[in-house]
Amino acid sequence: MARDKGLKAQRARRPLAATSLAAKPGIPRALCPFIPLSLAMLLTFAGSVQAQIADRVPRELENVGIEQKLDAQAPLDLEFFDENGRPTTLRKLMDGKPAILTLNYYGCPTLCGEQLNGLLRTLKDMSWRPGTKFHILTVSFDPLETATLASAKKDAYLGELGDPSAAAGWHFLTGRKPSIEALTQAVGFTYKWNADQMQWAHSAATIILTPGGRISRYLGGLYNDASTMRLSLVEASEGRIGTLYDSLFLWCFHYDPDRNSYAPVAMNIMRLGGGVTVAAIALGLLSLWLFEMRRRRMAAALAG
Amino acid sequence: MASISVPGAIAGQPARSKANYLNASSGFLSWAFTLDHKRIGVMYLVGIFTAFLLGGLFALLVRTELLTPGPTITTHDWYNRFFTLHGAIMVFIVIIPGIPAALGNFALPIMIGAKDVAFPRLNLASFYMWVIGTLFAISTLAFGAVDTGWTFYTPYSTKYAFNGMIPVVAGAFILGFSSIFTGLNFIVTIHKLRAPGMGWFGLPLFLWSLYATALVQILATPVLGITLLLLLVERTLGVGFFNPELGGDPVLFQHFFWFYSHPAVYIMILPAMGVMSELISVFSHKHIFGYKFIAFSSVAIALLGFLVWGHHMFVSGQSNLVGMIFSAITFTIAVPSAIKVFNWLATMYKGSISLNSPMLYALSFMWIFGIGGLTGLFLGTMATDVHLHDTYFVVAHFHYVMAGTIFVLFGGIHYWWPKMTGKMFNEPLARLSCLLLFVGFNVTFFTQFMMGSHGMPRRYYNYPAQFQMYHQISSAGSYIMGLGVILMVGYLLHSLARGRKAPDNPWGGATFEWRTSSPPPVENFHEQPVVDDLYDYEKLFWDEQAGGYVRREVPDGAARPAH
């Protein structure tokens, strides 16, 4: 598959530019007395300078990250390739179910492996399997990666999961640059090639999509507990999956991004308690009134 | 007393067994496991009165501390704990359950001609929940006590307050269940166990008020329960409901708290108003004026009471529009309250008023509640509330309202004492005690209106010298009240040992409890009383021989003799 051949040029390691002070033409001698003074000033302001350095994002990570675009529409009709190299779309794969979207690349030596291992751990803790209630879309954002690589990755993870039935629900995809860029831009995922380290600089995001492809939730961290994942999927499914208990729970608990889990909502807990109380009293009083009316009718009948 | 009237003669006094609910069985266990509503009512009364003495002791400590600016008898930390315990005990343990649980439990089934409440075991359970809740709340003293004030405002209560917070909040939570169970029991009892022929408009007005109160108890108390549970979860597990640092909202706590605690004021006041209707009518020896208006005004107060909690939060940052709406609804509550007061006045008008001690307490309530209600207008008006908020004006106002309930509780205790114990108390001492309480109360709290309007903030341990005179007068008033309470305890206890035997109907009441013996038999009546107008005093005559009132048919053309 001859895709994006030009991109290979990016990967050519470029030599570092020579930047040593000694190599530069000589410093004018007249400035020499100012050097100790400048050093003294530097020491004086070292504290503030250090603080500025600490606050600054490393150059390698500039323009890398995730901008949350909650409720934005993910483009589901872009062309990607499944593990067998067959063209497909996210919409076809999702099959009207909510989905977990992860953006990785299969040659990633660090973060992607950790993230997918975390997802695997979550799946092992969950009673639901991919394909039944939801799908997992693992999309490589490296346009040079091939379906062979994706297939190998899928075999490895499904083997680890120990459930062959999940093959129909966890999709490892590759794609061309325009599709990848359209998808990553839509979900707010920015990444860039680090030529020094020959790696993609990127962050990890687990994105939950509704059956219609809207972004319902960004789950932070490399591992999410099973209940958080389950509730996120129930929430994203708009009532199509999950039990009544799940829906009730979601009414009282909302996702707290600071803690990366579901936290209780005082107001809704109170509403639920109030509603149950009022309903119980209404039922109780109604039955009392009905009983009393029946007693009165019977007494009247006996008297008559 | 038999309910079948015998023309021209004292109502039949058939040979009765001397057994009554007090002497039918004896021993600690016979009381501890009793299912008799009268015994449970008496146990509530003893417990609530004991808690009242403890709460009163804390009040005296607070007033003594405030005799001088700065330290007088204790440190600022302990001062905070004293007023918190005073407030929590008086509100949650004494006033809220006071009339319904103690007097209501005793009187309600008898007043509808029933043998007991609908769920006697639930009744006993609610008493023990009250005991456990009270023990929890008082045990806070062993855990460093609580210094938040009885409102438990967050995040102070969840983050900073002493360790006693957990037991006191758990205690209030358990007390809430006791309150719900009592309310539930009363509703079912009134629905299902009324004597044959007793319709809703044949109910004594005390029971209308207990019914309305029970509805509020069941509807509002779960809100407090959930709020306190959330507070406990936040304090123990660090889940952020109310603490902004954890993503919570402290104002939400205030909304929840007052959504219960304002209706709680009506849980306190409504039963008191019910007792008032009985007292005013009986001691004026005149049919109650505007029965249906009084009955429906109880329900109206109960419903409106749910819509006004926001007037506690005018300065919490809520919008002016919301404040205005809450202010307007607050004013509307004055209408059903005034209906009651005017009906009581109309009942007294041209009545044959006996100034016995229960009536003196009733009249005291009218004075005190009148001032409490009218000063509520200043606090219900946004503009003046901003100036008076959290000053002693507020302290005085709510004492005038809530302690009004205590006056009626005392009135009710004196009214039903002969029925409960079978003994008469020393009436002159009772009048003196009422006078001491009335004078002491007004000296204590009227002064506080004055210092509050001059800007003295509530709850402060220290104060500028210009307020010292007010504080000293206020403290002197509290000592007079203390004297009145000690006197009351003295003559009531004395009456148990040496009191004159009570007649069946010492005051001339027409409701069912005055048609049975004093104290009543275990199943309340020797014969099922016949339902008639429970505010008709035309058939009641003073009988020297019996030492009380008896029922006779009025001979044709005979003038009704007055006592």
Side-chain angles (χ1 to χ4, degrees):
Chain A
M1 204 172 297
R3 294 190 274 123
D4 303 306
K5 281 179 185 168
L7 285 166
K8 285 183 179 171
Q10 275 186 11
R11 301 207 175 171
R13 184 186 279 270
R14 282 180 298 184
L16 281 170
T19 51
S20 102
L21 194 63
K24 289 193 173 177
I27 300 166
R29 278 173 184 269
L31 293 181
C32 287
F34 292 100
I35 290 174
L37 188 65
S38 307
L39 280 173
M41 284 176 70
L42 266 175
L43 283 172
T44 310
F45 296 110
S48 58
V49 171
Q50 260 186 341
Q52 283 175 22
I53 289 168
D55 286 346
R56 211 168 55 206
V57 177
R59 189 168 46 85
E60 295 80 6
L61 293 179
E62 277 174 7
N63 301 323
V64 168
I66 297 154
E67 184 200 345
Q68 294 209 4
K69 295 186 174 178
L70 285 169
D71 213 35
Q73 177 66 45
L76 299 188
D77 297 315
L78 300 168
E79 187 185 62
F80 286 95
F81 300 91
D82 67 13
E83 309 85 23
N84 302 315
R86 287 188 300 245
T88 185
T89 63
L90 300 184
R91 192 182 299 282
K92 267 190 216 163
L93 295 172
M94 283 170 68
D95 190 26
K97 296 188 175 89
I100 301 167
L101 171 67
T102 69
L103 293 159
N104 311 94
Y105 71 105
Y106 306 125
C108 180
T110 52
L111 191 59
C112 297
E114 291 297 325
Q115 187 191 358
L116 292 175
N117 288 343
L119 182 58
L120 187 73
R121 230 175 96 200
T122 309
L123 289 175
K124 281 181 177 172
D125 293 342
M126 281 174 78
S127 55
W128 294 348
R129 281 285 165 261
T132 53
K133 308 262 187 190
F134 67 99
H135 285 268
I136 305 177
L137 308 169
T138 295
V139 179
S140 169
F141 54 83
D142 183 345
L144 298 181
E145 289 193 329
T146 60
T148 317
L149 207 52
S151 178
K153 211 68 173 173
K154 178 168 181 168
D155 289 346
Y157 277 100
L158 288 181
E160 192 65 34
L161 185 61
D163 185 355
S165 70
W170 193 347
H171 312 280
F172 287 74
L173 306 172
T174 51
R176 291 199 181 95
K177 191 179 176 187
S179 296
I180 290 169
E181 281 184 354
L183 179 65
T184 53
Q185 273 175 23
V187 300
F189 182 83
T190 48
Y191 56 101
K192 69 178 181 187
W193 178 250
N194 184 327
D196 292 349
Q197 300 195 348
M198 295 289 286
Q199 287 179 25
W200 288 97
H202 67 100
S203 50
T206 306
I207 301 165
I208 310 293
L209 299 178
T210 67
R214 280 188 300 103
I215 300 169
S216 155
R217 180 81 55 226
Y218 290 83
L219 298 178
L222 296 174
Y223 167 74
N224 298 103
D225 59 74
S227 63
T228 302
M229 186 64 85
R230 177 192 166 97
L231 287 169
S232 302
L233 288 165
V234 172
E235 203 171 20
S237 76
E238 295 153 343
R240 290 187 214 180
I241 62 170
T243 59
L244 182 67
Y245 169 79
D246 288 326
S247 309
L248 208 62
F249 187 87
L250 277 173
W251 200 65
C252 293
F253 289 74
H254 285 182
Y255 183 73
D256 179 356
D258 292 339
R259 294 184 204 177
N260 199 28
S261 66
Y262 282 78
V265 183
M267 194 67 201
N268 284 357
I269 291 174
M270 188 61 78
R271 282 193 184 119
L272 184 70
V276 169
T277 308
V278 170
I281 292 169
L283 270 175
L285 283 179
L286 192 71
S287 59
L288 282 171
W289 282 112
L290 289 175
F291 182 84
E292 201 168 311
M293 279 167 64
R294 208 180 68 177
R295 197 178 58 170
R296 215 175 295 155
R297 268 203 306 271
M298 282 170 70
L302 281 174
Chain B
M1 181 69 65
S3 59
I4 300 165
S5 305
V6 181
I10 296 173
Q13 294 262 16
R16 290 175 185 169
S17 127
K18 295 214 169 186
N20 58 55
Y21 83 100
L22 292 173
N23 63 15
S25 56
S26 61
F28 174 76
L29 292 182
S30 76
W31 280 82
F33 294 107
T34 183
L35 298 179
D36 186 339
H37 68 99
K38 299 180 288 300
R39 283 192 169 195
I40 293 171
V42 169
M43 288 196 292
Y44 259 120
L45 191 63
V46 172
I48 285 167
F49 210 91
T50 310
F52 171 77
L53 293 178
L54 186 66
L57 179 70
F58 283 121
L60 290 178
L61 288 172
V62 167
R63 286 303 341 153
T64 305
E65 171 51 45
L66 291 170
L67 277 172
T68 61
T72 308
I73 56 165
T74 186
T75 63
H76 55 275
D77 269 350
W78 274 103
Y79 165 80
N80 288 348
R81 294 173 209 190
F82 289 160
F83 76 67
T84 300
L85 280 165
H86 164 67
I89 288 173
M90 287 302 196
V91 171
F92 294 113
I93 300 174
V94 177
I95 308 181
I96 289 180
I99 293 179
L103 300 182
N105 245 321
F106 181 85
L108 185 147
I110 313 183
M111 288 176 110
I112 57 171
K115 290 177 181 172
D116 208 320
V117 290
F119 307 120
R121 282 186 177 77
L122 187 70
N123 201 16
L124 186 66
S126 78
F127 170 70
Y128 280 114
M129 294 195 92
W130 178 86
V131 172
I132 294 166
T134 302
L135 290 177
F136 259 91
I138 293 172
S139 73
T140 55
L141 281 165
F143 295 97
V146 192
D147 59 345
T148 57
W150 75 277
T151 51
F152 309 136
Y153 271 10
T154 56
Y156 189 75
S157 54
T158 53
K159 197 174 173 191
Y160 303 103
F162 294 109
N163 288 333
M165 204 62 225
I166 293 172
V168 81
V169 169
F173 182 78
I174 297 167
L175 287 166
F177 270 97
S178 167
S179 185
I180 291 170
F181 287 167
T182 302
L184 190 74
N185 220 337
F186 285 1
I187 287 180
V188 180
T189 305
I190 292 174
H191 271 274
K192 294 192 73 175
L193 298 184
R194 295 198 308 275
M198 181 183 271
W200 279 89
F201 294 114
L203 278 177
L205 284 165
F206 178 41
L207 303 193
W208 266 98
S209 73
L210 281 183
Y211 188 83
T213 307
L215 283 178
V216 183
Q217 276 176 311
I218 294 180
L219 280 169
T221 314
V223 177
L224 177 78
I226 295 170
T227 308
L228 295 181
L229 210 57
L230 296 178
L231 193 153
L232 278 179
V233 170
E234 177 162 318
R235 184 162 176 108
T236 51
L237 305 178
V239 178
F241 293 112
F242 307 119
N243 185 351
E245 279 179 18
L246 302 171
D249 178 2
V251 179
L252 187 65
F253 177 85
Q254 295 186 27
H255 279 292
F256 286 169
F257 184 82
W258 289 115
F259 187 80
Y260 164 78
S261 292
H262 194 83
V265 174
Y266 299 106
I267 295 176
M268 305 173 203
I269 274 290
L270 274 171
M273 289 170 156
V275 175
M276 277 293 289
S277 299
E278 304 300 322
L279 296 183
I280 295 285
S281 173
V282 168
F283 289 96
S284 301
H285 303 285
K286 188 162 163 258
H287 198 285
I288 192 81
F289 183 87
Y291 175 94
K292 284 189 180 175
F293 280 96
I294 295 180
F296 285 128
S297 65
S298 292
V299 180
I301 289 172
L303 296 177
L304 285 171
F306 278 103
L307 307 175
V308 299
W309 80 93
H311 68 219
H312 292 268
M313 302 171 62
F314 284 150
V315 297
S316 71
Q318 71 186 11
S319 76
N320 283 343
L321 177 68
V322 172
M324 281 158 64
I325 292 168
F326 276 121
S327 186
I329 304 173
T330 302
F331 291 150
T332 61
I333 286 208
V335 176
S337 306
I339 285 174
K340 283 182 185 293
V341 175
F342 288 127
N343 278 305
W344 295 332
L345 287 173
T347 304
M348 286 163 66
Y349 178 67
K350 287 191 175 173
S352 171
I353 297 173
S354 309
L355 288 177
N356 291 92
S357 49
M359 184 62 169
L360 290 180
Y361 279 109
L363 295 176
S364 303
F365 173 82
M366 283 176 76
W367 168 269
I368 288 167
F369 183 69
I371 294 178
L374 290 172
T375 50
L377 295 178
F378 294 87
L379 299 170
T381 309
M382 282 171 73
T384 40
D385 180 74
V386 172
H387 173 69
L388 296 169
H389 194 86
D390 271 346
T391 66
Y392 264 82
F393 192 95
V394 179
V395 178
H397 161 73
F398 72 70
H399 276 93
Y400 264 88
V401 174
M402 291 179 177
T405 305
I406 294 278
F407 270 83
V408 180
L409 173 67
F410 289 164
I413 289 172
H414 285 79
Y415 178 59
W416 279 298
W417 187 263
K419 188 57 62 182
M420 279 182 184
T421 63
K423 295 294 175 70
M424 295 303 289
F425 48 82
N426 185 318
E427 180 64 22
L429 284 181
R431 290 179 194 175
L432 176 64
S433 163
C434 180
L435 183 72
L436 285 172
L437 285 170
F438 182 75
V439 171
F441 180 85
N442 283 290
V443 170
T444 306
F445 294 106
F446 204 85
T447 322
Q448 294 186 4
F449 278 126
M450 282 149 53
M451 68 171 134
S453 59
H454 284 96
M456 172 72 209
R458 69 194 280 201
R459 293 179 170 164
Y460 276 39
Y461 172 71
N462 203 350
Y463 54 83
Q466 73 195 71
F467 290 111
Q468 188 170 5
M469 182 59 80
Y470 292 116
H471 275 297
Q472 287 179 339
I473 294 172
S474 184
S475 298
S478 71
Y479 300 143
I480 297 172
M481 272 197 284
L483 206 62
V485 171
I486 290 168
L487 182 62
M488 184 196 299
V489 173
Y491 68 73
L492 285 180
L493 289 179
H494 178 266
S495 79
L496 293 178
R498 299 278 178 86
R500 179 168 60 87
K501 188 182 178 316
D504 291 351
N505 190 356
W507 316 119
T511 38
F512 282 171
E513 75 270 35
W514 305 111
R515 304 185 195 185
T516 186
S517 56
S518 297
V522 175
E523 292 195 334
N524 293 343
F525 298 98
H526 298 286
E527 301 155 37
Q528 179 71 39
V530 175
V531 175
D532 54 9
D533 185 348
L534 299 178
Y535 291 99
D536 179 12
Y537 302 103
E538 291 301 315
K539 293 175 187 167
L540 290 162
F541 293 86
W542 177 259
D543 183 81
E544 283 296 339
Q545 196 185 343
Y549 283 83
V550 291
R551 290 174 71 79
R552 296 176 195 154
E553 285 299 330
V554 186
D556 287 342
R560 184 180 174 278
H563 171 57

